[in-house]
Amino acid sequence: MNAQPAAQRRLLDLAELDLRIRQAEHARTNPTQAERVRELIAQRQELTRELTARQGARDDLRTELGRIEADVAVVDARRQRDEQRLTTVTNPKDAQGLESELASLARRKSDLEDAELEVMEKLETAEAAVAEAEGRLAEVNDEGARLSAEAKTAVADATTQVEQATRDRAAVASDLPAELVELYERAAQRSAGAALLRRQTCEGCRMVLSGTDLAAVRTAAEDAVVTCPECGCILVRTEESGL
Ligand SMILES: [Zn+2]
């Protein structure tokens, strides 16, 4: 088919706008932050599991500590009661019995205090482990929130670009012969659609035209629409074409 060289050159604008629309469309549906956000979601699940396990371990230690403290209170109450009785008891045998019980209560209390100390140390470690997991989870959540906000802005920008480029494309296409646009669109399904022939090279596929192909392009009428023998896109000829 034939078309004015100026109209053929406008096809380069159309191809450029189509490329811009595709890129903006890709940016809109696949914001660069998406992959990292997916990673962070996986990390958050992992960390939440870890945190729950650590909180469980800490709570068990708190329960254990509470039990020991209750036992200490029982021992203290009995000691107080025995000491009180000892001041009023007159029978030496009863007094001996109370003293022996007091000695055993003192040993029991000392054992309980050792156990209490041990659990308190473990609890301190467990609480630090919970705080550490909470800190990491907060970092992941912060990064996730920041990237999600960035992605939202990027998607909004890309949507604006798609809309703008689509309007520009419609304006360019409406100025061109419908047949030429159709030919371009058919070619665009498997190639750049239209590309500059620069220094004997198709800029759509980077192929250097061979002697015969070049001769055919050279002898074609100025308004003839020629295509790249390699990729099939419309070859736009200018003074840079090297013909
Ligand atoms: Zn080509």
Side-chain angles (χ1 to χ4, degrees), residues 202-207 228-233 235:
C202 165
E203 293 219 314
C205 65
R206 303 281 157 202
M207 225 251 327
C228 169
E230 180 68 18
C231 70
C233 77
L235 280 176

Side-chain angles (χ1 to χ4, degrees), residues 138-150:
E139 275 172 28
V140 165
N141 283 337
D142 286 353
E143 190 183 348
R146 187 170 55 75
L147 288 181
S148 294
E150 274 178 31

Side-chain angles (χ1 to χ4, degrees), residues 42-182:
Q43 278 183 26
R44 188 170 59 195
Q45 281 177 344
E46 175 85 3
L47 278 171
T48 304
R49 264 198 301 276
E50 180 71 35
L51 179 61
T52 307
R54 289 182 183 192
Q55 283 168 334
R58 178 204 57 193
D59 292 348
D60 287 350
L61 287 165
R62 280 183 179 165
T63 305
E64 199 179 337
L65 188 62
R67 236 179 349 243
I68 294 171
E69 281 166 350
D71 287 351
V72 169
V74 169
V75 169
D76 283 344
R78 284 187 66 176
R79 281 177 75 184
Q80 233 174 347
R81 190 200 59 187
D82 287 357
E83 277 162 2
Q84 186 65 34
R85 279 187 185 169
L86 204 56
T87 59
T88 56
V89 81
T90 45
N91 184 330
K93 208 178 157 192
D94 288 349
Q96 206 178 10
L98 283 169
E99 270 163 6
S100 138
E101 189 176 300
L102 277 166
S104 110
L105 285 170
R107 280 194 301 277
R108 170 88 176 120
K109 179 157 182 184
S110 165
D111 288 350
L112 284 170
E113 280 170 348
D114 287 349
E116 192 177 17
L117 216 61
E118 202 181 309
V119 173
M120 280 167 91
E121 273 169 17
K122 282 187 192 166
L123 185 57
E124 206 176 306
T125 308
E127 273 165 352
V130 167
E132 194 263 344
E134 280 172 346
R136 274 194 290 152
L137 191 60
E139 275 172 28
V140 165
N141 283 337
D142 286 353
E143 190 183 348
R146 187 170 55 75
L147 288 181
S148 294
E150 274 178 31
K152 212 172 154 184
T153 308
V155 166
D157 289 351
T159 304
T160 308
Q161 282 170 29
V162 168
E163 288 165 359
Q164 181 63 52
T166 303
R167 277 196 298 274
D168 292 350
R169 189 208 190 270
V172 172
S174 70
D175 272 351
L176 295 172
E179 277 186 319
L180 183 64
V181 174
E182 274 169 38

